[in-house]
Amino acid sequence: MDISSIIGLLLGIAFIIGGIRTTGELGTFWDVSSIIIVLGGTIASTLASFPMKNFLNTGKVIKKAFFYKDTSPDEVIGEIIELANIARKEGLLSLEEYAENLDDEFLKKGIMLIVDGTDPDLVRNILETELVFLEERHLDGQSIFQTMGTYAPAFGMIGTLIGLINMLKFIDDSSAIGPNMSVALVTTFYGSFLSNMVFLPIASNLSEQTDEELFTYTMILDGVLQIQAGTNPRLLEERLLSYLSPEAKKKTKEETENAKEAMSYE
């Protein structure tokens, strides 16, 4: 679960409610007409902007934003080095048995390709193609929420215009001025809130997840090709560590050393 997304959303709602309560009542900011205009209009325009199959996947995209399983680069490097040691001692064909127990489908696919004796250039081409289409699939989900973040404030302004038009139409009726002005202002509030507190943050979250996945998979691709080339596991470890920041590199080295010491004691 991506706890930062949930905490950020809850904190944003809490701060806004707290700010409202210090100056007035929450009921003042509740208006069904405004919700219909902003949320209904945003959903309708987004539906008109994308194929139905993309729009219907929105639920899966939201689930991915809030329930994202982060893959640690440390764990990936450890798995690759372990596979490199096995390949060095027992040969590439021996990796088939170990590949079946791998959780990461991308790494499993790469290992199975080299076990089957696929040409290195073809292995690279297949895995890079998969990365390209993975990025495109992720961009589809991001673009839906970016679009909703764009439309929500626009429908907030449309609601404002509706409220002002109705207010001017019945300007002689003082009892109609208040409700129509409320719709005008609250609709703008809803549009800004949904855009900046819900839709755009989800789009940014998904974009960050995509970058992390592409980074990890690029490292896996490099590791698979080096295993196929017969690179010394120690040199391969140094190569993969170069992908990490100095702090992460230091931490990974310490964990690797601790793991080796634990194995020697056993």
Side-chain angles (χ1 to χ4, degrees):
M1 178 184 294
D2 187 1
I3 194 66
S4 66
S5 300
I6 297 174
I7 291 176
L9 180 59
L10 293 177
L11 278 177
I13 294 173
F15 286 142
I16 290 174
I17 290 177
I20 291 173
R21 289 181 64 87
T22 58
T23 57
E25 298 180 357
L26 287 175
T28 308
F29 289 80
W30 174 258
D31 189 272
V32 176
S33 299
S34 298
I35 295 175
I36 293 173
I37 292 170
V38 175
L39 195 56
T42 299
I43 292 174
S45 292
T46 305
L47 180 60
S49 302
F50 294 92
M52 180 61 74
K53 63 177 183 178
N54 290 21
F55 188 81
L56 293 177
N57 286 331
T58 305
K60 295 180 181 178
V61 175
I62 294 175
K63 182 178 179 181
K64 182 176 178 60
F66 289 98
F67 297 93
Y68 172 65
K69 183 181 179 181
D70 186 23
T71 303
S72 171
D74 302 346
E75 295 177 4
V76 171
I77 291 176
E79 283 187 325
I80 293 174
I81 298 305
E82 183 180 356
L83 292 169
N85 281 313
I86 294 170
R88 188 174 179 84
K89 294 176 183 178
E90 305 175 22
L92 288 176
L93 293 177
S94 64
L95 294 177
E96 183 174 6
E97 178 183 351
Y98 295 92
E100 295 298 329
N101 298 321
L102 293 174
D103 294 328
D104 192 292
E105 291 298 325
F106 187 78
L107 177 56
K108 182 187 293 187
K109 183 172 184 175
I111 294 299
M112 294 307 297
L113 284 171
I114 65 175
V115 167
D116 292 338
T118 309
D119 182 78
D121 290 336
L122 184 56
V123 173
R124 177 185 293 276
N125 184 268
I126 291 173
L127 295 182
E128 286 182 345
T129 300
E130 185 156 330
L131 289 183
V132 170
F133 284 104
L134 179 143
E135 185 175 12
E136 288 187 1
R137 289 194 301 270
H138 285 204
L139 287 175
D140 287 341
Q142 295 169 32
S143 60
I144 288 176
F145 285 97
Q146 287 171 345
T147 301
M148 294 178 80
T150 301
Y151 284 140
F155 278 98
M157 290 303 300
I158 290 174
T160 299
L161 294 174
I162 292 172
L164 292 176
I165 291 170
N166 287 332
M167 185 186 71
L168 293 174
K169 183 177 181 180
F170 301 102
I171 196 167
D172 293 334
D173 184 1
S174 58
S175 62
I177 293 177
N180 287 315
M181 180 58 74
S182 174
V183 172
L185 298 179
V186 171
T187 310
T188 302
F189 167 75
Y190 285 158
S192 298
F193 173 80
L194 289 173
S195 175
N196 296 287
M197 198 65 246
V198 180
F199 300 140
L200 293 181
I202 289 178
S204 298
N205 183 290
L206 292 170
S207 177
E208 184 63 26
Q209 290 180 20
T210 299
D211 291 341
E212 289 180 5
E213 283 194 40
L214 289 176
F215 169 79
T216 301
Y217 287 159
T218 300
M219 186 168 61
I220 289 175
L221 190 156
D222 191 11
V224 167
L225 291 174
Q226 293 305 313
I227 291 174
Q228 186 177 28
T231 302
N232 185 291
R234 188 178 295 276
L235 296 177
L236 175 56
E237 181 179 7
E238 290 298 325
R239 181 185 180 98
L240 296 179
L241 286 173
S242 65
Y243 282 84
L244 307 180
S245 64
E247 295 79 9
K249 188 184 300 184
K250 181 179 179 181
K251 178 183 176 184
T252 303
K253 282 187 174 182
E254 290 176 353
E255 291 178 352
T256 303
E257 290 300 323
N258 293 336
K260 289 179 180 178
E261 289 179 5
M263 290 180 64
S264 63
Y265 282 124
E266 292 176 358

